Structure formats: C-alpha cells, structure tokens
Amino acid sequence: MINLIKIFGILTCLLFIILIFITKRNRNVFYVEYIILSLPFLNIDIINNINGFVFISILFFIFFYRNKLSVSKDIQFLNFNVLILLISVSMGLIVSEYGINQINIIEIIKLLCLIQFCKVLIEESIKDPIIIEKIFTNLKTLLIVSFFFLFMQLIIGPGFSISNLQNPNINSSDGIRYPSFFSDPQVYAQYLGVNVFISMISLNKSSNNEKYKNRALAFLCCISILLTGGRAGIIGILIAFIFFFLFIQFKIKIKFMILIALLIFLVFITKDYFILFKRSTDMDEAYAFRNSVWQDAINIFYKNPFWGIGIGNYERYAFYQLPNQVWLRENEMIVFDHPESGYLKILDELGGVGFISFFSLYLIPIFITIKNYFKSKDLNFILINAGIIVWVIGFYSTYSFGDIRMFVFINTIICLLYLKLKTKYQLEDINKYKMKNIIAI
C-alpha cells in the first residue's frame, strides 16, 4: 500500500511537469491552481523526505517562474516580517546545540517554498484580481474532494487513505475518527471548521442556486466535523459563529439561527452515530498529561527565549531531554515532534523573535480587514476572519502545520484575506466593466 501511495505522489509530480510544458496559460497562475487542486497528494514523500509540494515548487521556481510584477510597496510589511522570520530561523540553527542536519534543511526548504508560493499568489492576484475568484472556487472543489474521501472511509473504513502512516487516535474503543485525506482527524477537523465559513464566500452577486450550494457545503462541514471527534474544532466553530453574528444583519441572524436550530436537532436525534459524543476519555487525566507537556515546552522557551532550539529540533530535544514524551504507533514508540500545541512548538523552535514575526503575518491582515469592514461593510471580510478564528483556536492543541497540506491551505486563506482587501475596488471595477459589456451585447 505504501508503494502505491508513493506512486500516486510521483504521478502527481509527473502530471505537473507534462501540463506545465504544454499549457498556454500563465504558468505562474497554473502553478498556484495546480498546487491547490492536487493538495491531497502533495504530502507524499517523493525523494529523501521531500514531499510533492516541495518537489513541484523547486522545479517550478528553477525552470518556470517569471517575476512579472513588483509589489514591494504593496506588501512592504509582509516582506519585512518574512525577513525577520528568516533571520530568526537562521540564528536559531546557528546557536543550536544540535547543529544542522537533514531535518533542519528540509524544514527550511518547506518554509521557503511556502513563502514563494504565497509570493506568486499575491503577485498574480494583484495583477489580475479575477484570479481570487478562481482560487476560492478551487478551494471549494478541494473541500468536495475531502467529502469524497470521507464518504469512502464511511463505506470501506479509514484504510481508504493516501497517508503512509495514520494517527493512532483514528481507532479507539469508542469508535472510528475519520481523517479524510489527512492522516490525523484533528487536522481534518481544523480544515472543516475553516471551510464552514470559507465555503459561504461569494465575491460577486451570486444566484440563489449558488448561495444554496455554498450553504449546503457549510452544513456538510458541520456534520462532517462530528465524525472527526475533534472537540477543538467544534469549540472553534462555536466561537467563530459568535464572532460572525456580531457583524451580520438581523434578517441574516434569523436565517442562521433557524439553520443552527435544525443542525442541533439533527445532531440530537443522531448523536449515537457520532464518536464526538461517545468519547470516554477522562478529561481530567487527558488535561493533566497535556498540561505536563505544555509545562515542559514552556521551560524549553525559558532556556532559549530569543532564537529557540532551532526549526525542526523539537523531536530531537524531546528524545534527549524529555523521555516521557512518547506515543505508540503500530507497536513502535514514537517521540513527540510537537508539545501538543502549535503555538508552543513554534515558540520553542523559533524563540520569541521568530514567534512574533511568524504570527504577525497572520494577525496584521486580520486586524486591517476587520477595521476595513466598518468602511466597506463587505461581509466576506468577516467570513474569512471567522474561518481563521477556527484554526487559531484548534492550533492551540494540534500542530496542524506538520502536514504541508494544512500549511499551504491556511496560508492561502491568509493571502486571500490580504488580497481581498487590496483588490476589492479593482474587482468592483472589473465586474462593472463586465456588466456593461453584457448589457451592450
């Protein structure tokens, strides 16, 4: 099965090579869209722990990338934060007691590939804002693909997977937690929670049919997240809905309250089928263990407050310093590669400087767009931010960026949030022009 999975990964890369040679489209745009649409297969290692995303990105930037637009003035604060982030990553490895090895190099390459991916997405979208609409459409297509994997797992079992190794929390005495094309159901819960809101976005005045389709996707996300057993995902959705309700009109609030009431009723009468309501884990015991791991992580930060222990070094640190941080997978003892929290993982590996520069890339666009909402009254700003809130809450307990697919997905959403702000009026002008042409015809 592992060999078959690797074949899928190789074929995904070969298809990219063939298509980018023969395409007559803008190759930069083709690269971005291909990455998003083929995302389920891009976590598969191709050569020496190099996954499909990294392989395709390196190939693209060496042979096909063309810098067609300078947007340094438009994204000056992003460029500055990225520079500080790269400096802090470099300093962390220089001062690390473990030196530099293959894991560190691969993590840096992943980070650089993601930065370049975001750069291309931003450049091309500022040049042609219509691309933003295409990306949102592609993200909805990707969501439907995840539903296909989930449906097949409900019929065949979680063995229907494109992951070499699945998280042991999938199978338990309480039942099965379904991960779709991810390897961890908690990561899939984050993904679904974000998509509850992203799937409802319409950049133009859409037909009633499209609105119903968007709401249906959001409804399916809410149902599917119950199959993952992800508590943090559910909590994130509830808090994001509260945030969303603060900004919407009263009429829309009534509609959503009716939908939520319907969802609660359906869940109540079918709750015995969802593992989320059957999980018998002792909450106090689970929290006590997690709290001990968090305390260990905080102590690591106290010892390395500025530059951290080096990107990718948490597992190695735990192996030598924290013998209690191990878990069992297929009868093999595995050392923790993160401290049960995405925030503490980044804080420990990148230090305070890297932590601030890393998360400022996410927080600054959020604050800017919320402020802009009061001027534009564009509800799409709120929907995107609500989706990000779900991830922000889930990230506290699960380092979802360990899966390159989630790393790419969340950063794509952040780029679209920033681009939605920068290109709002460009899109309005383009759409007015299109309407004039239609009327003239």
Side-chain angles (χ1 to χ4, degrees), residues 420-435:
K420 184 68 179 66
L421 174 66
K422 298 300 293 184
T423 62
K424 173 178 171 55
Y425 301 106
Q426 295 180 53
L427 275 170
E428 289 178 351
D429 292 340
I430 290 171
N431 291 325
K432 287 178 182 177
Y433 175 78
K434 289 162 79 176
M435 288 301 297

Side-chain angles (χ1 to χ4, degrees), residues 232-334:
I234 290 292
I235 294 171
I237 289 178
L238 292 176
I239 294 175
F241 263 120
I242 293 172
F243 168 80
F244 181 61
F245 266 58
L246 294 175
F247 296 91
I248 59 178
Q249 298 176 353
F250 181 76
K251 291 181 179 179
I252 302 177
K253 287 181 181 179
I254 296 298
K255 292 180 180 179
F256 271 96
M257 288 176 69
I258 293 172
L259 288 174
I260 291 172
L262 176 61
L263 178 63
I264 292 173
F265 174 74
L266 290 174
V267 169
F268 179 78
I269 63 176
T270 60
K271 61 181 180 179
D272 292 339
Y273 297 96
F274 296 110
I275 189 174
L276 182 68
F277 304 107
K278 297 189 293 184
R279 289 176 61 186
S280 58
T281 304
D282 188 321
M283 293 292 290
D284 292 335
E285 182 181 344
Y287 176 78
F289 172 73
R290 242 177 207 185
N291 186 59
S292 68
V293 175
W294 293 340
Q295 290 301 318
D296 288 338
I298 292 172
N299 289 332
I300 294 173
F301 169 67
Y302 286 155
K303 295 176 182 178
N304 307 272
F306 296 107
W307 310 115
I309 59 176
I311 187 170
N313 278 343
Y314 187 87
E315 183 176 358
R316 195 159 27 156
Y317 186 99
F319 177 79
Y320 290 110
Q321 308 281 351
L322 307 170
N324 64 312
Q325 293 195 21
V326 295
W327 53 295
L328 186 66
R329 183 174 64 188
E330 297 183 0
N331 297 321
E332 181 183 0
M333 300 300 291
I334 306 296

